[in-house]
Amino acid sequence: MDKELLISEAKKARENAYAPYSGFTVGAALLTKDGKIYRGCNIESSVFSPSLCAERVALAKAISEGEKEFEAIAIVGANANEDPTAPCFPCGVCRQVLSEHVDGSAFRVVVEEEGKAISYTLAELLPKAFVF
Ligand code: THU
């Protein structure tokens, strides 16, 4: 897996973010096991609660196209200050939603930390996920 490429795809996705309320724009790039990439961005709503996170937009696009096997997701995001040292980790809701579709001990979450693409397993970020 090319972590840098996945981060650059997430950056392209972020260009389409619709975040007029928070000003915090996020992009995600979800890599399938057979090498396809699905991009997602956050999409906010004036009534706030229907706002969509970038990761779940990417996942919904992929699942709705019949994808079932995922290898990794890259996430980039920041507020207007664009602090390059602050990585954008997925929120707890997105961690939980992803956990239902992947093997958490193998699936990688890629974020940019001080300009470098760093990856974690989903299980590291969400140990003991809820299982129905
Ligand atoms: N957001 C994401 O897109 N992904 C996350 O994992 C955390 C937060 C979005 C939601 C909202 O539009 C903005 O970032 C600020 O919370």
Side-chain angles (χ1 to χ4, degrees), residues 58-73:
L59 185 68
K61 284 172 68 179
I63 300 261
S64 61
E65 292 300 319
E67 302 292 352
K68 290 184 169 42
E69 307 251 42
F70 303 104
E71 187 172 332
I73 191 167

Side-chain angles (χ1 to χ4, degrees), residues 14 19 22-26 76-84 86 88:
R14 188 180 167 216
S22 72
F24 195 101
T25 55
V26 184
V76 294
N79 60 20
N81 297 331
E82 295 284 342
D83 177 357
C88 182

Side-chain angles (χ1 to χ4, degrees), residues 31-38 67-71:
L31 176 67
T32 67
K33 283 192 182 165
D34 61 2
K36 276 184 247 156
I37 292 174
Y38 289 84
E67 302 292 352
K68 290 184 169 42
E69 307 251 42
F70 303 104
E71 187 172 332

Side-chain angles (χ1 to χ4, degrees), residues 6-109:
L6 211 52
I7 286 284
S8 74
E9 286 291 312
K11 286 180 178 170
K12 286 182 200 154
R14 188 180 167 216
E15 290 171 13
N16 294 327
Y18 177 74
Y21 306 106
S22 72
F24 195 101
T25 55
V26 184
L30 178 65
L31 176 67
T32 67
K33 283 192 182 165
D34 61 2
K36 276 184 247 156
I37 292 174
Y38 289 84
R39 295 182 193 162
C41 61
N42 57 333
I43 306 169
E44 296 184 346
S45 160
S46 59
V47 278
F48 296 168
S49 63
S51 293
L52 302 167
C53 285
E55 300 90 318
R56 278 178 288 142
V57 169
L59 185 68
K61 284 172 68 179
I63 300 261
S64 61
E65 292 300 319
E67 302 292 352
K68 290 184 169 42
E69 307 251 42
F70 303 104
E71 187 172 332
I73 191 167
I75 303 148
V76 294
N79 60 20
N81 297 331
E82 295 284 342
D83 177 357
T85 61
C88 182
F89 283 101
C91 75
V93 172
C94 288
R95 295 178 199 201
Q96 177 64 40
V97 171
L98 284 165
S99 76
E100 192 161 334
H101 299 278
V102 304
D103 169 359
S105 61
F107 183 80
R108 314 289 309 185
V109 176

